[in-house]
Structures are given as C-alpha cells and as structure tokens.
C-alpha cells in the first residue's frame, strides 16, 4: 500500500514538472471555461446583534438579536465563463490596436 502511494505521488510530481518545463504556445482569442466545486459549511451556532437606526423620531435605536442554529448541508457550486482577449486574431478578426493585447474581458455565470 505504501509503495503504491509513493508511486502515485512520484507520478503526480513528474506530471507537474513536465507541465512547468514544457510550456507550449497558445492562441489567446476566445475561451469558454466551465467549473464545478463543492463546499461543506460549518455548523451555524451563532448569535448576531443588529442595531437598527430608525430615521426621524430623534434617532431611536432598536437592537435585534438574531439566533441561527442547526446544520447546513453541503453545497455544489458551478459556473461558466465566456471571454475574449483583444488581439488581432481575436473575436470576429477585428483589428485592435497593439497596446490592447494585454486586455480582455469575461462574463461569469
């Protein structure tokens, strides 16, 4: 079991070293990126005090105490990014000025 784990770690480190040592050129035009992740929040045994200031009435204050308790369930997060770089080979072949090659934008859904 220990030898298998050691081989797995060595393979992962070799793959990471190859990815760093052998970079390749890529076109920076348009891209679509999807992502997915999870979150496991801690238990919510917390108390909050909220101080409300009512307008008028000579600045009357009201303090509300909010108690949250119970367990929160796991959450799945996901999204999509659509973006482009302002390069001459980019979106619709528009001829952007050379200084714009360092800029781009994306929409995150």
């Amino acid at each position: 079991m220990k030898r298998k784990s050691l081989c797995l770690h060595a393979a992962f480190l070799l793959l990471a070293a190859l990815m760093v040592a052998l970079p390749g050129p890529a076109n920076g035009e348009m891209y679509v990126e999807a992502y997915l992740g999870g979150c496991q929040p801690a238990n919510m045994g917390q108390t909050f005090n909220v101080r409300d200031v009512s307008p008028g009435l000579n600045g009357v204050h009201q303090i509300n105490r909010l108690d949250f308790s119970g367990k929160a369930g796991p959450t799945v997060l996901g999204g999509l990014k659509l973006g482009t770089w302002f390069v001459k080979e980019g979106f619709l072949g528009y001829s952007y000025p050379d200084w714009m090659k360092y800029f781009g934008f994306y929409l995150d859904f």
Side-chain angles (χ1 to χ4, degrees):
M1 179 73 179
K2 191 170 190 171
R3 182 180 174 118
K4 185 177 179 181
S5 176
L6 182 63
C7 289
L8 185 64
H9 283 94
F12 178 73
L13 289 174
L14 179 64
L15 179 63
L18 285 174
M19 289 174 65
V20 171
L22 302 172
N27 292 330
E29 300 169 0
M30 291 185 65
Y31 63 93
V32 177
E33 175 184 342
Y35 54 93
L36 184 68
C39 178
Q40 176 61 51
N43 291 338
M44 296 187 299
Q46 301 174 354
T47 301
F48 298 95
N49 291 324
V50 180
R51 184 176 187 186
D52 295 331
V53 178
S54 301
L57 299 176
N58 299 324
V60 175
H61 299 288
Q62 176 181 356
I63 296 177
N64 296 322
R65 182 184 170 124
L66 304 172
D67 292 322
F68 295 98
S69 62
K71 289 185 79 167
T75 305
V76 176
L77 305 171
L80 180 71
K81 285 184 181 179
L82 304 170
T84 186
W85 291 100
F86 298 122
V87 292
K88 293 182 181 181
E89 303 85 14
F91 185 63
L92 297 178
Y94 185 75
S95 181
Y96 296 106
D98 190 52
W99 59 269
M100 287 185 72
K101 66 184 175 186
Y102 301 106
F103 298 99
F105 76 95
Y106 70 89
L107 298 173
D108 194 356
F109 299 99

